[in-house]
Amino acid sequence: MSVERIEETVGAGDTGVVAEAEIATATAAAVTYYPVAPGVRLNVRSGPGTGYSIVRVLPEGSKVAIYCQTPGTNVSGPYGTSNIWDNIASGEFVSDAFVRTGSDGYVASRCAL
């Protein structure tokens, strides 16, 4: 995730420049973290499916931020069977069937792959 400098004109006497730290704080505050199923060490893959390589393994008790979601391989897990894959970092995906989002559907925008 990158932070960009944003400028806009608001009114006379106001520079309209928003500090980078303010943007980063606002962005961080908007991120929701979801718990991985209890007792699960979850494979993180390079793409939205079981055919993609494992890039790392999340330890038990992990929580993940979901930046976007995309359809992929169907996977059965503690939270049902789903073809939704959660993008948790650049080039890193986990099956939504192992993440407690409180929904059987999408909770984030679709990824632009």
Side-chain angles (χ1 to χ4, degrees):
M1 181 182 312
S2 66
V3 176
E4 298 177 11
R5 183 181 175 125
I6 298 175
E7 295 183 26
E8 80 181 63
T9 304
V10 177
D14 186 349
T15 64
V17 176
V18 179
E20 289 181 21
E22 290 177 45
I23 295 169
T25 300
T27 302
V31 174
T32 301
Y33 288 85
Y34 299 93
V36 171
V40 171
R41 294 180 64 232
L42 186 58
N43 290 336
V44 178
R45 296 189 177 266
S46 62
T50 55
Y52 289 88
S53 62
I54 296 171
V55 295
R56 64 184 174 118
V57 178
L58 297 176
E60 292 181 27
S62 293
K63 291 185 178 185
V64 295
I66 299 174
Y67 297 104
C68 63
Q69 295 175 300
T70 192
T73 306
N74 268 322
V75 174
S76 294
Y79 301 117
T81 299
S82 178
N83 73 333
I84 298 173
W85 285 75
D86 305 330
N87 175 243
I88 62 168
S90 181
E92 295 188 357
F93 295 83
V94 296
S95 170
D96 196 62
F98 287 87
V99 180
R100 192 179 77 212
T101 62
S103 173
D104 288 336
Y106 289 85
V107 297
S109 61
R110 294 266 183 125
C111 300
L113 294 178

